[in-house]
Amino acid sequence: MAKLLPVILLTICAASAQKYHVGRAATAADIKSTDQFIAPDGTGLPPGKGTAADGRDIYERRCARCHGKQGQGDEEGPLAGGKGTLSTAKPLKTVGSFWPYATTIYDYVHRAMPFDNPGLLDANQTYAVTALILHLNGIIGEKDEMNAQTLPKVKMPNRDGFVKDTRPDTGKKKK
Amino acid sequence: MPKNPRRSFLQLSGIAALAGCGAQPGAKTEEEKLPSELGKPIRAYGERSQFETAKRAVPDLKRPQIGSTRTPLAETEGIITPSSLHFERHHAGVPELDPAKHTLLLHGLVDRPLVFTVADLKRLPSASHIYFVECAGNSGGEWKAPGGANAAASFGLASCSEWTGVPLKILLEEAGLKKEGKWLVAEGADACKMSRSLPIDKALDDCLVAYAQNGEAIRPEQGYPLRLVVPGYEGNVNVKWLRQIKVVDQPNQTKDETSKYTDLLADGTSRQFTFVMDAKSVITYPSGGQKLTGPGFQEIRGLAWSGRGVIDRVDVSTDGGKTWQKAALQEPRLPKAFTRFRLPWHWDGKETEIVARAVDSSGYTQPGRDELTAARGMNSAYHYNGVKVWKIAADGSVKNG
């Protein structure tokens, strides 16, 4: 056994070793400039803060044209409303009625909005717009501050509304 | 009518000669024997014949950077979709990426975060496989009612290509996957940085970081220069313009895996991470919008595919589902790829309904619409894979059934 141990260790090390040595090591700067993922536990959220009140101005200038002044939707779908509609004949899926995680709002607004100029909003503006969208849905108060600590703690109304894929739920063998 | 009637006549007479029923040898005029004018010269990059018109219908959208075009399935043959006709679904337009500058960052829960150039990836061991890509929203309009007027409108958010690239497993092993790494999140370089999470088991199974499609570089609208190809999974996770893969311990809950691409059930809950595309088939001839010229022989043709494996059988009914016949399946039948099926048919000129249903190697049989809505309600939006009925009228016109 004692003789075997070095062989086993060598095998484990080999499993994790680079085989082709193609590509270069990523630097901390490479990762910092590229990685903007915000995980549902808040990992990746930057310093900064904002309230719904803070977000009103930027929202009206950059978001309301498509999403409506109160998030009711206009050229694009609504961000607010739809509470209690998911099991009805006409479900209205909005951030408030449907989205399971508040962190997704920050992630998406920061990476993809406004549509014609994504990445425009800085961290404070993104927190503020996120807070406003949550406020328009009655989930937080107008002066509740959203930051890296508070945002992941916001419990979205439909947080428990998602289930695993249990397919195949159709397609049983026919004769 | 071709633009050059004389050339057309020459072609016809050539065919007649080949068939052995042309004029007697020696009886041809000089004009019949030789083309009277030279053809076009050699050229650097081919184009299709001026007489061919198959295209993706482009809807009139206020923001054409966010939308889709559909493959005209009824105007394709075999199992490979021409790259120029592969369906499109973009969320923020098609970026113009210089392959000399584009890189792929692989990081997160790995021993060695790495940056690959496109040239680096092309040095690594490569693989080529034929796989379909199908948008989860394909046939979504059929949930409310059988709606699509033709095969493209009903089923055209599906296409099939030969993809060439590096198995993702090789890249993950090169970076040294940590055992806490259970998911990865992949991101594109489009303006919205579209991103999706994917379980690590699938990443280590059959995914490719592809740089080629159908023998040439991936088309810009399909992800040039790099696309993540996730065989059998919904199109949206086949992230185009791939620029970053981060290995993580939990799904990132991105916008496109929460607010979109989740399947609402009748009870108000929604299935999440419904990746696999279930077995599906559609008859492409005769199909909606076409017209049969008259009674007599017709070859029924269509396409079948499954994200769970190989197509084992396609049954076709020409009497509205009363009786079924086994269609011939064109070999090779490949997993997670289109399979072409065919059935010789003698149309008696009477009104009828035709329909196909696919059975895959997992034993799954393509359901009818009632079976799907009974299981999931009316508002699931995604993953509709019900059989498609085409109605043939006595005048030969084919309509959505």
Side-chain angles (χ1 to χ4, degrees):
Chain A
M1 187 60 203
K3 276 182 186 173
L4 271 175
L5 199 60
V7 179
I8 292 165
L9 282 175
L10 197 70
T11 310
I12 291 166
C13 291
S16 173
Q18 239 178 320
K19 187 172 173 186
Y20 299 102
H21 298 276
V22 169
R24 67 168 174 82
T27 64
D30 289 326
I31 295 169
K32 196 177 176 216
S33 66
T34 308
D35 180 5
Q36 55 178 329
F37 290 119
I38 311 299
D41 64 5
T43 304
L45 279 170
K49 61 181 181 179
T51 65
D54 299 335
R56 194 36 97 172
D57 175 58
I58 184 92
Y59 180 88
E60 286 186 2
R61 284 188 288 115
R62 299 308 312 234
C63 318
R65 195 184 78 190
C66 294
H67 296 292
K69 220 171 165 184
Q70 300 301 321
Q72 76 277 15
D74 192 335
E75 293 177 10
E76 295 296 331
L79 302 172
K83 201 176 168 185
T85 64
L86 295 181
S87 59
T88 69
K90 287 194 176 169
L92 185 64
K93 296 189 223 174
T94 72
V95 175
S97 72
F98 197 63
W99 291 34
Y101 294 94
T103 48
T104 307
I105 312 170
Y106 189 104
D107 180 279
Y108 185 66
V109 168
H110 183 251
R111 73 173 54 239
M113 288 290 124
F115 179 71
D116 59 357
N117 197 357
L120 178 74
L121 307 188
D122 65 21
N124 286 341
Q125 289 172 317
T126 309
Y127 278 118
V129 166
T130 301
L132 181 63
I133 294 168
L134 290 167
H135 176 62
L136 291 172
N137 280 288
I139 296 167
I140 64 168
E142 194 171 14
K143 291 181 180 167
D144 289 347
E145 183 183 298
M146 289 294 107
N147 57 45
Q149 285 70 47
T150 56
L151 184 64
K153 293 195 183 108
V154 173
K155 171 118 197 242
M156 298 298 278
N158 196 39
R159 172 67 187 84
D160 300 323
F162 290 83
V163 295
K164 280 186 179 170
D165 182 7
T166 51
R167 291 175 304 154
D169 54 354
T170 57
K172 290 209 177 78
K173 276 182 189 173
K174 291 181 177 66
K175 279 179 223 165
Chain B
M1 187 67 193
K3 283 178 184 168
N4 184 339
R6 188 168 66 165
R7 180 177 289 177
S8 170
F9 166 74
L10 288 171
Q11 283 169 348
L12 282 173
S13 62
I15 290 163
L18 277 173
C21 55
Q24 291 299 310
K28 286 178 187 166
T29 67
E30 195 65 22
E31 195 184 48
E32 279 173 320
K33 274 187 277 181
L34 295 166
S36 60
E37 59 187 78
L38 290 173
K40 288 185 176 172
I42 54 176
R43 58 183 172 179
Y45 195 83
E47 299 287 339
R48 66 179 170 180
S49 160
Q50 60 172 314
F51 304 108
E52 293 302 312
T53 56
K55 64 184 180 203
R56 302 179 292 219
V58 179
D60 184 21
L61 300 172
K62 188 177 172 77
R63 296 186 181 85
Q65 295 88 357
I66 181 163
S68 54
T69 59
R70 291 155 181 271
T71 295
L73 292 174
E75 296 171 84
T76 65
E77 305 288 350
I79 60 169
I80 298 293
T81 308
S83 301
S84 51
L85 294 174
H86 193 293
F87 83 87
E88 298 173 277
R89 174 75 177 101
H90 313 313
H91 297 78
V94 179
E96 286 186 1
L97 301 174
D98 180 347
K101 293 176 187 157
H102 185 77
T103 55
L104 172 63
L105 170 65
L106 173 53
H107 68 115
L109 296 170
V110 294
D111 295 333
R112 289 171 297 279
L114 294 170
V115 174
F116 298 98
T117 63
V118 177
D120 288 337
L121 295 172
K122 288 183 177 177
R123 281 177 55 193
L124 287 165
S126 60
S128 298
H129 294 283
I130 295 174
Y131 294 126
F132 74 81
V133 177
E134 180 183 18
C135 179
N138 196 24
S139 318
E142 308 275 316
W143 278 109
K144 299 281 177 199
N150 55 55
S154 294
F155 286 70
L157 294 177
S159 308
C160 187
S161 303
E162 185 200 53
W163 301 98
T164 298
V166 190
L168 179 54
K169 185 173 194 270
I170 288 178
L171 301 183
L172 291 169
E173 285 175 351
E174 198 68 359
L177 192 59
K178 289 188 197 285
K179 68 175 190 314
E180 314 90 86
K182 300 295 180 200
W183 288 74
L184 58 78
V185 55
E187 180 188 87
D190 46 348
C192 66
K193 306 287 182 287
M194 218 291 297
S195 56
R196 283 296 303 261
S197 307
L198 189 69
I200 207 74
D201 288 350
K202 180 64 174 177
L204 292 170
D205 180 11
D206 55 1
C207 296
L208 290 174
V209 172
Y211 43 76
Q213 175 188 14
N214 298 333
E216 62 180 356
I218 292 177
R219 293 281 168 120
E221 62 268 40
Q222 295 310 323
Y224 183 87
L226 298 175
R227 176 179 209 168
L228 184 61
V229 171
V230 187
Y233 277 24
E234 62 187 16
N236 188 248
V237 295
N238 292 250
V239 174
K240 299 186 282 188
W241 314 294
L242 183 68
R243 72 161 199 156
Q244 174 178 196
I245 291 173
K246 182 180 185 182
V247 179
V248 289
D249 60 355
Q250 59 185 329
N252 206 65
Q253 307 290 348
T254 71
K255 179 269 233 175
D256 282 299
E257 61 206 23
T258 52
S259 82
K260 306 286 179 192
Y261 303 102
T262 47
D263 309 354
L264 183 59
L265 304 175
D267 67 0
T269 64
S270 300
R271 288 186 186 146
Q272 193 182 20
F273 304 118
T274 48
F275 292 119
V276 177
M277 301 307 294
D278 281 320
K280 198 162 180 177
S281 69
V282 61
I283 294 172
T284 55
Y285 181 84
S287 63
Q290 297 171 344
K291 190 163 185 180
L292 302 183
T293 48
F297 180 81
Q298 304 286 348
E299 183 179 68
I300 292 175
R301 295 172 194 155
L303 291 165
W305 61 96
S306 170
R308 296 188 195 273
V310 174
I311 292 297
D312 267 0
R313 203 176 86 212
V314 176
D315 301 323
V316 173
S317 173
T318 57
D319 56 11
K322 287 190 207 90
T323 62
W324 296 85
Q325 297 173 72
K326 262 172 91 170
L329 303 180
Q330 175 71 58
E331 300 287 346
R333 291 175 295 128
L334 302 167
K336 303 161 191 176
F338 278 1
T339 292
R340 177 66 65 173
F341 66 86
R342 303 182 175 98
L343 182 77
W345 180 46
H346 194 91
W347 182 45
D348 60 10
K350 288 180 189 149
E351 188 179 303
T352 191
E353 289 183 354
I354 58 170
V355 56
R357 76 177 175 217
V359 181
D360 72 15
S361 49
S362 76
Y364 180 95
T365 302
Q366 187 185 5
R369 200 170 154 275
D370 292 348
E371 193 181 338
L372 279 165
T373 55
R376 300 180 208 162
M378 299 289 283
N379 293 309
S380 240
Y382 303 101
H383 289 278
Y384 182 93
N385 68 319
V387 300
K388 181 70 183 172
V389 177
W390 300 116
K391 258 184 196 160
I392 300 174
D395 70 356
S397 60
V398 189
K399 289 200 170 83
N400 166 47

